[in-house]
Amino acid sequence: MAEHKVIAEDVVRCWEAGASIAAIHARRPGDDGATCNPAIYSHINELIRERCDIIINNSTGGGISGELPAQRFYEQEKQLAEALTNSVKKILDATDG
């Protein structure tokens, strides 16, 4: 992917200028959103490793609009919906009896 090559090229230029560590923030193809996808990080790391031995720090936060926060939000919403459903069932069971 072109984006991965750009990231790797930037890292190599920093290494050539004396940097010893690089923080990598990968992006999803198509919408440039933050990602935690290990395959994307692996590809970027391979491109970097082909050219230098800089220490790589892969970001895994996913960003505020990335995959991980969205997944967490979905799970929280799902848990809230289940809790609400269970509460309503208890109320209905108590009033029917």
Side-chain angles (χ1 to χ4, degrees):
M1 305 218 114
E3 299 92 358
H4 301 174
K5 290 179 182 178
V6 170
I7 293 170
E9 186 61 39
D10 286 346
V11 170
V12 170
R13 279 199 304 263
C14 291
W15 175 76
E16 290 171 343
S20 59
I21 188 168
I24 308 300
H25 299 270
R27 299 285 177 235
R28 288 189 304 255
D31 70 359
D32 203 36
T35 186
C36 297
N37 185 325
I40 292 175
Y41 277 99
S42 179
H43 185 239
I44 294 169
N45 291 348
E46 288 173 16
L47 293 171
I48 294 168
R49 284 287 167 252
E50 289 172 358
R51 302 198 36 215
C52 71
D53 64 352
I54 196 166
I55 297 168
I56 299 172
N57 175 32
N58 291 315
S59 171
T60 57
I64 190 69
S65 62
E67 296 161 343
L68 195 54
Q71 182 180 1
R72 286 182 184 156
F73 179 75
Y74 170 77
E75 289 300 321
Q76 289 173 346
E77 287 292 310
K78 183 178 168 187
Q79 290 171 358
L80 180 60
E82 288 173 1
L84 182 59
T85 300
N86 289 336
S87 294
V88 170
K89 283 180 183 178
K90 286 181 184 178
I91 292 169
L92 291 174
D93 288 344
T95 57
D96 286 341

